[in-house]
Every structure is written in C-alpha cells, then in structure tokens.
Amino acid sequence: MIESNRLSTPRLRLRQWTAADREPFAALNADPEVMRHFPAPLTRTQSDAMAVRIEALIAERSWGFWAADSLEDGVPRFMGFVGLHTPAPDLPFSPCVEIGWRLARPFWGRGLATEAARLALRTGFEGLGLEEIVSFTAVGNQRSRAVMRRLGMRECPHEAFDHPALPAGHPLRAHCLYRLARADYWGTG
C-alpha cells in the first residue's frame, strides 16, 4: 500500500479520484491546447470513462495516475493527474511502467508537473521497487519533454517509434522515449 503522506508537498498532493473530479477533468480534456499532442479532445463521456478506469486501477493496485491537487492557495484545487501507469502491450518497449501527467492550463509553467512527477518517481523506485520508469510523448511536445529532462530522464533516440494507435501519416504518430533507471535516480529529497 502506498502511504498517502509520501504523495504530497507543501504545494500539491496526489490522491485517489472522487466523483467531484469528473467535471474539472472533463474541462481540461476538452481544452484543445491541453490536448494539442493527443489525437483529439475528449468528450465528457470519454473523459468520465477514463477517470473511472484510472480510479479502478488505483483501487486495485494502490498506484496509478493519481488525481493532482494544487495546495498553493490554501484550498485544494484539482489540477489534473500525475502518476504511474502500465501502457499498452503493443508498444515496442513494453512491458514497462511509465510516468505521465496532464494538467489544466492555469497550472502550467509553475513547476507543478515536475514536482508532482518527482513524488511519482519516488513511489515507483522506493515504494514499488521498480528498476526503470519510462516516459514517452509525441516528438513535438516540448513542454512534456522538458519535464522529462528535469526529472533526469534520458532520451533514447534509437528507440523513437511510431505510436501504433495512430494511423500512418498522422502528425502525432512520431514519438520519443525517455528512460530513467533506478541506478540513476537521485530521489526527491
């Protein structure tokens, strides 16, 4: 079981999802700028279904893409998700555990994704005993790639790949892969 006190800092916390998260999650998933590096924004039905799947996975294993709250104003505000996930088995580097995030625009540019991702890395390496954590994104997603670099992840250019869920010729099909081994993990302290 993951200790909840290991999933917070003075500025944010990661937690299990609640029904109250559905509306703000749908809003961020409908934002074309947030979803710029995904095939399309999500409908409310698609967003709710995704939240239900994520919540069920956390309930099953005690880890996953946790709901992320900003605590900066003294009142918790849902800002998106950050955490760990087991991606589709048809990816060329599977099986693996990935780290990922998706934040609403008001929370961009403040270091919150990196700070929350460090909590997830600590959980993966220290709590779950993982040997490696990966992250991947569309090649043009410079914001996420910058977070990956700040986390100490290393790009693996020889492992760049075309995402199998996207058709040939799709502008987001080309993806890059970053890796971080336990031996290279410096902690979050």
Side-chain angles (χ1 to χ4, degrees):
M1 183 60 98
I2 306 300
E3 299 172 35
S4 60
N5 64 339
R6 293 180 57 85
L7 295 174
S8 65
T9 71
R11 294 195 322 147
L12 61 89
R13 74 175 172 201
L14 304 178
R15 58 167 175 79
Q16 176 59 296
W17 292 70
T18 68
D21 300 325
R22 303 289 191 271
E23 188 172 334
F25 188 52
L28 81 88
N29 284 324
D31 183 332
E33 187 60 25
V34 171
M35 299 301 287
R36 181 176 177 198
H37 299 287
F38 293 90
L42 301 182
T43 66
R44 175 66 190 254
T45 301
Q46 292 169 324
S47 180
D48 286 353
M50 181 181 186
V52 167
R53 283 191 309 274
I54 292 170
E55 183 178 347
L57 284 170
I58 294 171
E60 177 185 316
R61 345 177 255 218
S62 80
W63 58 273
F65 283 150
W66 293 285
D69 288 330
S70 167
L71 305 175
E72 289 182 305
D73 301 327
V75 176
R77 291 187 302 141
F78 178 86
M79 62 181 183
F81 71 74
V82 179
L84 304 170
H85 181 68
T86 304
D90 60 345
L91 294 174
F93 45 87
S94 287
C96 61
V97 173
E98 70 165 309
I99 187 168
W101 46 85
R102 185 178 304 166
L103 301 184
R105 275 194 288 163
F107 302 98
W108 290 7
R110 295 167 29 197
L112 293 165
T114 302
E115 188 173 330
R118 285 187 176 129
L119 293 174
L121 284 177
R122 183 173 70 195
T123 298
F125 289 127
E126 297 176 15
L128 301 174
L130 299 175
E131 290 301 318
E132 179 182 67
I133 297 173
V134 304
S135 195
F136 56 93
T137 191
V139 171
N141 189 347
Q142 295 303 321
R143 286 181 169 276
S144 281
R145 293 177 74 175
V147 172
M148 294 171 198
R149 288 189 296 272
R150 284 192 294 273
L151 294 172
M153 302 187 91
R154 293 195 180 119
E155 183 177 5
C156 302
H158 63 285
E159 292 185 274
F161 66 102
D162 288 337
H163 201 291
L166 298 171
H170 193 286
L172 298 176
R173 190 161 192 225
H175 272 57
C176 52
L177 176 70
Y178 286 70
R179 294 180 180 271
L180 181 61
R182 174 201 282 277
D184 297 325
Y185 169 69
W186 66 89
T188 59

